[in-house]
Amino acid sequence: MAFYSKIPRNIINNLKSKVGLWSLMKQSHGTCSYSSCLNTIHLHRFLPLTTLPQFTNPDSISHKKGHFPHFQRFQSTTTEKQIDSVPNGEQSQVLDFPGGKVVFSPEMRFLSESPSVYSQCYRVLDDNGQLISHSNFVPVSEEVAVKMYSNMVTLQTLDTIFYEAQRQGRISFYVTSIGEEAINIASAAALTSDDIVFPQYREPGVLLWRGFTLQEFANQCFGNKADYGKGRQMPIHYGSNKLNYFTVASTIATQIPHAVGAAYSLKMDKKDACAVTYFGDGGTSEGDFHAAMNFAAVTESPVIFICRNNGWAISTPTSDQFRSDGIAVRGQAYGVRSIRVDGNDALAMYSAVHSARHMAVNEHRPILIEAVTYRVGHHSTSDDSTKYRPANEIEWWRMARDPVTRFRKWIEINGWWGSEAESQLRSSIRSQLLHAIQIAERAEKPPVNDLFTDVYDNIPSNLREQEKLLKETINRHPKDYPADVPI
């Protein structure tokens, strides 16, 4: 308060004339003191005088996009009588606080730590691929449905073959998306190519849908000269400027606030697009998630948060991470519209993301989607998940809840797919992928000097010195370094 007590009275008078702050300085029983008036103004965190809108009447302040949201929404902190009565029959008062209306009550009541009714999980197809009666979903054409299924099978095959390649020592690392194919492909199908994607590391299907080729996947995993990252990233850390897909980062949840910043930029530029970010349930335990949610809500940024709640953050179950009713309820706490979806139901995921995108772009609002699924595969090739979860549980999800099988049954019921098409598809994908791996494996590796490029326009002397020392070390000890990396 020491700072505010030094504000000249002429500034207060100036503010009063410019934005009608006089109404802020009145209480229900008279005019406030100079000190209490300053407290009231401090609550509103007003902008510098040079940027204040020229409003003469506080009642004339309207909700216009891009204009001082604090002044749009909250005009005073005076109290008013509430017409409705509280449960005990006494009237309550409402405080028009900057964070929204506060209803006072003489009854002491704590909010429960858990809901009496759990959040519903949106679902369209049952486990047998049958439409659930009275389902509300976005229609999908035969062309889109067949492409979705083909991409899901491709992703499944991609994971199987690359996992085997890692086990053979041909690549150093791999992460599968087994059990989560519907989240990948269905969400990608509901977006447009202009939407900017900030992935975690289990969303290669989004790239696949957007046109990333099997050869491009293989080039990245083998780190050859055709890899867009020039071999400087671990396998599965894909990225594509052309496809609006930011490069994967291993650090958990760092992409979430980045997505909000990008979404805010799209809003400011009046683009007909949104940002989309993917993360796991473990990511919601990071501070970045909470900061991003609040940031998105306050700035009303067009961003879709897609959380893959697959039950496990490596070996940590969700029961050891949080006590809330899943993830979707957290959105409400931050003022973000949210939904819980069956992540193994491709039709439900498509409908939810399609609707979320419409709201995000047209209403300038963030949306949180909690996709309930199960990580059937190990966390990565460095993990053995049977050490912390029963094998029969994994097998049950693999067989009874497989999203690819469920969606196949639905398109077969519609007469859009058959066993012959299935056989041809799987054979063709496997053949194409094995061919792409052979090419990627034989391709030349990036030169050593690529380790020092693409950061500075003019490489500084200390990096030049490091490059020189590295090349000298390789020449002195050639057996300790890969022979296929050009010096």
Side-chain angles (χ1 to χ4, degrees):
M1 279 306 301
F3 172 80
Y4 286 99
S5 65
K6 296 179 181 179
I7 298 177
R9 290 177 181 271
N10 64 328
I11 293 181
I12 302 300
N13 293 330
N14 195 1
L15 284 170
K16 284 157 51 179
S17 63
K18 286 182 177 292
V19 294
L21 281 179
W22 185 243
S23 64
L24 302 179
M25 304 179 187
K26 289 184 178 180
Q27 301 294 329
S28 58
H29 299 293
T31 305
C32 65
S33 65
Y34 179 67
S35 176
S36 62
C37 286
L38 292 174
N39 274 316
T40 304
I41 296 170
H42 173 59
L43 286 172
H44 284 262
R45 299 181 182 274
F46 53 86
L47 299 171
L49 289 175
T50 54
T51 61
L52 286 172
Q54 299 300 310
F55 294 126
T56 57
N57 182 353
D59 295 331
S60 68
I61 300 175
S62 60
H63 184 74
K64 297 179 181 178
K65 290 180 180 177
H67 289 280
F68 312 101
H70 287 89
F71 286 109
Q72 299 159 13
R73 299 175 184 169
F74 313 112
Q75 299 174 15
S76 73
T77 55
T78 57
T79 58
E80 59 187 62
K81 280 288 185 179
Q82 178 81 339
I83 297 176
D84 297 330
S85 297
V86 293
N88 62 7
E90 297 182 16
Q91 282 191 321
S92 63
Q93 280 190 323
V94 177
L95 176 66
D96 191 9
F97 191 70
K101 291 186 180 296
V102 178
V103 180
F104 293 107
S105 169
E107 180 182 353
M108 183 172 65
R109 182 188 304 170
F110 291 86
L111 296 176
S112 174
E113 73 281 0
S114 60
S116 57
V117 179
Y118 287 100
S119 302
Q120 292 185 337
C121 188
Y122 172 58
R123 193 184 200 193
V124 176
L125 299 177
D126 64 20
D127 290 339
N128 295 315
Q130 298 277 354
L131 274 177
I132 298 172
S133 59
H134 308 297
S135 296
N136 179 17
F137 66 96
V138 178
V140 179
S141 67
E142 177 180 353
E143 180 183 3
V144 172
V146 170
K147 182 182 177 183
M148 285 172 61
Y149 179 71
S150 298
N151 274 227
M152 290 167 74
V153 171
T154 302
L155 179 58
Q156 201 176 56
T157 307
L158 188 82
D159 280 345
T160 301
I161 292 179
F162 274 124
Y163 188 89
E164 292 172 353
Q166 193 280 334
R167 286 298 188 240
Q168 294 167 2
R170 299 164 76 180
I171 59 176
S172 61
F173 179 80
Y174 195 72
V175 170
T176 70
S177 303
I178 300 172
E180 302 178 28
E181 295 89 351
I183 297 174
N184 270 246
I185 303 303
S187 64
L191 302 171
T192 72
S193 58
D194 292 329
D195 298 328
I196 304 174
V197 176
F198 291 79
Q200 193 178 20
Y201 41 64
R202 225 177 286 276
E203 292 81 30
V206 179
L207 261 183
L208 182 65
W209 179 271
R210 292 191 169 200
F212 209 66
T213 65
L214 297 180
Q215 190 62 62
E216 288 174 308
F217 280 113
N219 290 338
Q220 197 285 325
C221 286
F222 282 87
N224 61 33
K225 199 171 183 178
D227 169 27
Y228 301 130
K230 300 182 180 180
R232 293 176 294 207
Q233 277 275 24
M234 294 170 63
I236 67 89
H237 286 57
Y238 311 110
S240 173
N241 290 335
K242 181 178 67 173
L243 301 177
N244 281 330
Y245 189 97
F246 271 67
T247 302
V248 172
S250 291
T251 45
I252 300 300
T254 55
Q255 75 279 9
I256 308 177
H258 297 166
V260 181
Y264 188 55
S265 175
L266 291 172
K267 174 185 174 180
M268 297 295 286
D269 291 339
K270 296 179 170 57
K271 299 289 187 181
D272 185 25
C274 66
V276 185
T277 182
Y278 297 80
F279 48 93
D281 48 272
T284 68
S285 297
E286 296 286 341
D288 286 350
F289 166 77
H290 298 276
M293 290 289 288
N294 192 57
F295 180 23
V298 172
T299 58
E300 298 178 333
S301 298
V303 56
I304 303 174
F305 301 97
I306 300 180
C307 175
R308 296 175 290 93
N309 185 354
N310 61 23
W312 296 90
I314 308 184
S315 60
T316 305
T318 54
S319 58
D320 287 348
Q321 294 183 62
F322 49 79
R323 289 291 185 268
S324 60
D325 177 22
I327 309 299
V329 293
R330 301 185 185 187
Q332 188 176 31
Y334 285 109
V336 175
R337 189 172 292 175
S338 310
I339 187 172
R340 175 181 279 177
V341 183
D342 182 350
N344 287 24
D345 181 349
L347 209 52
M349 276 301 302
Y350 176 85
S351 299
V353 176
H354 187 280
S355 300
R357 185 191 183 278
H358 178 81
M359 289 185 285
V361 173
N362 292 285
E363 301 175 19
H364 285 173
R365 67 166 66 248
I367 305 291
L368 170 63
I369 297 175
E370 176 189 0
V372 181
T373 183
Y374 189 83
R375 193 194 75 216
V376 171
H378 304 298
H379 174 75
S380 71
T381 49
S382 302
D383 174 50
D384 179 4
S385 62
T386 60
K387 299 295 184 181
Y388 52 82
R389 57 182 185 173
N392 60 347
E393 175 185 293
I394 300 172
E395 191 62 21
W396 182 82
W397 279 90
R398 183 193 304 274
M399 301 302 295
R401 299 274 295 155
D402 177 41
V404 182
T405 302
R406 190 197 301 193
F407 195 64
R408 176 188 173 181
K409 290 177 179 177
W410 182 71
I411 59 175
E412 285 180 336
I413 290 171
N414 285 295
W416 299 341
W417 198 252
S419 56
E420 185 176 346
E422 178 78 13
S423 177
Q424 290 177 354
L425 173 65
R426 290 187 179 274
S427 175
S428 174
I429 293 170
R430 183 174 180 83
S431 176
Q432 292 177 52
L433 189 53
L434 291 174
H435 180 67
I437 288 176
Q438 289 176 352
I439 293 175
E441 205 167 20
R442 291 196 301 262
E444 185 180 0
K445 298 294 183 182
V448 167
N449 62 286
D450 275 355
L451 285 171
F452 304 91
T453 59
D454 299 330
V455 176
Y456 298 96
D457 183 26
N458 295 307
I459 300 177
S461 58
N462 64 314
L463 288 185
R464 290 290 188 192
E465 181 67 19
Q466 289 180 31
E467 181 181 357
K468 177 185 175 183
L469 291 173
L470 176 60
K471 289 180 178 180
E472 290 176 353
T473 302
I474 293 174
N475 286 327
R476 285 199 306 269
H477 308 282
K479 293 183 179 180
D480 294 333
Y481 292 87
D484 56 350
V485 178
I487 299 178

